[in-house]
C-alpha cells in the first residue's frame, strides 16, 4: 500500500502518512505556463494499492483536474488498484435538479472520478449520503460525528444541550450527534431566496434556556450558520456552539463568525485553511487524520470500516 498526495491539502496527507507510519509517493505536480497541470510519479508503483489524497476544495476546478490527472498517472503506471481519498468532496451540493435546466455536478464528478480509473472512493461527510449511489464503485463515507462528540463531552459542561440542524437537509446528521450525546433535536427552517443567501423562517423544537449545538457538513459564506445562531438566540437559547466538518470559509466568513453570537466554531482539517483561521479566537480546527488513516488501514487489510462508528 502506498499514499500519494495532491497539492490541495498536503498537511493532512502528511498527518495521514504519519498515522500509518508510511511515506508519500515522491511526485512532481506542476503547472505549464498556461495553467495546465502536469503530474509525474517519481518512483515505481507497479502492482501497488495506491491511495491518492486530494480534496476538491478551492480552487475546486484545479483541484478536481489534478485529482483526475493523478488517477490517470497511477493507472498508466500499473497501480494494482486506486482509491481516491477525497476528504472534502466539492461539487456535491448540486445533487439534484432543484429548478429546471440545471446540471447535477455531483453525478458528473462521480462519473469523472470513475472514468479516470478509481476503483474506490473514501470521503468524509458527503453532503447527502445518497451521492454514494452516483458511483458504481465502492464508496466509504466517513463521519466526523465521533470526533465532534468527544470534543463536546470534554469541553461543554452544560446539562441542558440540544442538537440543532441548521436546515431540514441536516436533520439526520444532527440526530446522529444527538443520539451519541443522548440529547434532543431542534430544526431551523431555512429558505434560500437565491444561491448564497439564506433566510430563517422558523425554529422547530424547544431551545429556550438551552445550550445549542449546531451541526452541519459545510460552512461556506457563513450565512446559514450566523443566521441560525441569531434566530436561536432570539428564541432564548443560552449559548450557541457550532460543529462543521468542512470549513470552506469563502469571502468574509471568518469575520462574520468573529462578529456573531457564536461562542465557538469547530471545524476539521478536510480543507487546508490555516491561513484563514489563524488568529480567529472563536474558531478551532480538529484533525481528521487519525480517522482517515485508520479507514485507509482497514480498507487495505480488508477489515470493517463501519466498525469505526459503532
Ligand atoms: C447546505 O445545504 C449545506 O449543508 C450548508 O448549510 C451550506 O452549504 C452552507 O453555506 P453558507 O455557509 O454559504 O450559508
Amino acid at each position: 500500500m502506498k499514499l500519494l498526495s495532491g497539492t490541495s491539502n498536503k498537511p493532512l496527507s502528511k498527518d495521514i502518512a504519519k498515522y500509518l507510519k508510511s511515506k508519500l509517493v515522491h511526485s512532481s505536480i506542476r503547472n505549464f505556463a498556461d495553467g495546465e497541470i502536469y503530474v509525474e510519479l517519481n518512483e515505481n508503483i507497479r502492482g501497488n494499492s495506491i491511495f491518492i489524497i486530494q480534496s476538491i476544495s478551492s480552487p475546486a476546478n484545479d483541484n478536481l483536474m489534478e485529482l483526475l490527472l493523478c488517477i490517470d498517472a497511477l493507472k498508466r503506471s500499473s497501480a494494482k488498484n486506486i482509491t481516491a481519498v477525497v476528504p472534502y468532496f466539492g461539487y456535491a451540493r448540486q445533487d439534484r435538479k432543484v429548478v429546471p435546466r440545471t446540471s447535477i455536478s455531483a453525478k458528473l464528478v462521480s462519473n469523472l472520478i470513475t472514468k479516470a480509473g478509481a476503483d474506490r472512493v473514501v470521503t468524509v461527510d458527503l453532503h447527502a449520503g445518497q451521492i454514494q449511489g452516483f458511483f458504481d464503485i465502492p464508496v466509504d463515507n466517513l463521519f466526523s460525528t465521533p470526533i465532534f462528540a468527544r470534543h463536546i463531552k470534554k469541553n461543554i459542561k452544560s446539562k441542558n444541550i440540544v442538537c440543532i440542524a441548521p436546515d431540514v437537509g441536516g436533520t439526520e446528521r444532527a440526530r446522529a450527534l444527538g443520539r451519541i450525546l443522548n440529547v434532543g433535536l431542534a430544526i431551523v427552517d431555512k429558505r434560500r431566496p437565491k444561491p448564497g443567501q439564506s433566510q430563517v423562517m422558523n425554529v422547530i423544537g424547544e431551545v429556550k434556556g438551552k445550550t445549542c449545538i449546531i451541526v452541519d457538513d459545510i460552512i461556506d459564506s457563513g450565512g446559514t450558520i450566523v443566521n441560525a445562531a441569531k434566530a436561536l438566540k432570539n428564541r432564548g437559547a443560552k449559548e450557541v456552539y457550532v460543529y462543521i466538518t468542512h470549513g470552506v470559509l469563502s469571502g468574509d466568513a471568518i469575520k462574520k463568525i468573529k462578529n456573531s453570537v457564536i461562542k465557538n466554531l469547530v471545524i476539521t482539517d478536510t480543507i487546508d485553511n490555516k491561513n484563514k483561521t489563524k488568529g480567529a479566537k472563536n474558531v478551532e480546527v480538529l484533525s481528521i487524520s487519525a480517522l482517515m488513516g485508520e479507514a485507509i488501514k482497514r480498507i487495505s487489510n480488508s477489515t470493517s470500516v463501519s466498525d469505526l462508528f459503532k
Side-chain angles (χ1 to χ4, degrees):
M1 184 267 275
K2 285 187 177 179
L3 304 170
L4 171 67
S5 178
T7 59
S8 69
N9 197 344
K10 273 265 171 83
L12 176 61
S13 301
K14 283 183 188 158
D15 288 346
I16 293 175
K18 203 164 155 196
Y19 179 88
L20 292 167
K21 298 186 179 67
S22 177
K23 283 200 175 109
L24 297 171
V25 169
H26 189 220
S27 61
S28 310
I29 302 178
R30 296 192 294 268
N31 288 94
F32 288 105
D34 65 351
E36 280 184 12
I37 300 165
Y38 169 83
V39 173
E40 182 181 347
L41 307 177
N42 300 324
E43 61 182 86
N44 176 33
I45 52 103
R46 188 179 293 273
N48 289 119
S49 295
I50 308 279
F51 293 79
I52 156 72
I53 306 165
Q54 172 81 334
S55 273
I56 308 174
S57 51
S58 177
N61 302 333
D62 286 347
N63 285 332
L64 170 62
M65 193 63 201
E66 190 184 301
L67 171 65
L68 300 175
L69 291 172
C70 285
I71 296 171
D72 189 59
L74 289 167
K75 198 175 162 197
R76 292 176 195 282
S77 310
S78 307
K80 186 170 149 212
N81 50 59
I82 303 163
T83 300
V85 181
V86 190
Y88 171 60
F89 195 98
Y91 275 116
R93 282 175 283 182
Q94 299 167 60
D95 57 2
R96 65 198 185 286
K97 284 170 70 173
V98 185
V99 291
R101 298 179 295 281
T102 54
S103 66
I104 303 180
S105 62
K107 174 63 182 164
L108 177 63
V109 169
S110 311
N111 284 347
L112 290 171
I113 291 174
T114 311
K115 192 74 195 161
D119 299 292
R120 170 185 292 275
V121 172
V122 178
T123 187
V124 184
D125 281 321
L126 263 179
H127 179 60
Q130 51 278 30
I131 293 172
Q132 290 168 84
F134 291 1
F135 288 93
D136 282 326
I137 53 175
V139 177
D140 289 299
N141 182 26
L142 311 178
F143 306 105
S144 55
T145 331
I147 299 174
F148 288 162
R150 226 174 293 136
H151 188 271
I152 293 165
K153 283 182 186 162
K154 192 169 164 215
N155 296 286
I156 303 178
K157 298 299 171 205
S158 167
K159 295 267 175 280
N160 199 9
I161 293 178
V162 60
C163 275
I164 311 283
D167 52 34
V168 176
T171 309
E172 202 182 318
R173 199 171 287 117
R175 192 180 288 131
L177 183 62
R179 208 177 298 128
I180 303 181
L181 299 174
N182 201 17
V183 301
L185 171 77
I187 301 164
V188 176
D189 177 19
K190 175 186 93 172
R191 303 280 152 87
R192 276 209 188 275
K194 47 180 157 160
Q197 265 185 26
S198 73
Q199 198 180 346
V200 174
M201 308 303 286
N202 213 342
V203 175
I204 306 159
E206 193 48 64
V207 298
K208 197 163 178 203
K210 299 202 180 212
T211 297
C212 293
I213 298 184
I214 305 180
V215 54
D216 206 358
D217 59 334
I218 298 169
I219 174 163
D220 188 348
S221 67
T224 298
I225 292 306
V226 168
N227 290 343
K230 203 162 125 199
L232 294 169
K233 274 292 217 178
N234 288 343
R235 283 157 180 81
K238 186 173 162 228
E239 49 192 359
V240 181
Y241 293 90
V242 178
Y243 285 78
I244 299 187
T245 311
H246 309 294
V248 174
L249 298 172
S250 311
D252 62 351
I254 286 286
K255 197 168 148 205
K256 278 190 204 151
I257 298 294
K258 267 191 203 161
N259 299 332
S260 73
V261 297
I262 294 166
K263 217 160 173 194
N264 204 31
L265 163 68
V266 176
I267 54 174
T268 77
D269 56 356
T270 55
I271 297 173
D272 179 19
N273 48 28
K274 273 188 210 72
N275 290 341
K276 289 184 188 168
T277 54
K278 207 163 44 190
K281 288 208 177 71
N282 60 345
V283 181
E284 202 176 326
V285 183
L286 303 181
S287 185
I288 199 98
S289 58
L291 180 77
M292 299 210 73
E294 187 57 35
I296 290 173
K297 191 197 232 171
R298 286 168 184 236
I299 291 165
S300 209
N301 297 337
S302 297
T303 54
S304 171
V305 172
S306 65
D307 276 357
L308 275 172
F309 303 99
K310 278 188 182 154

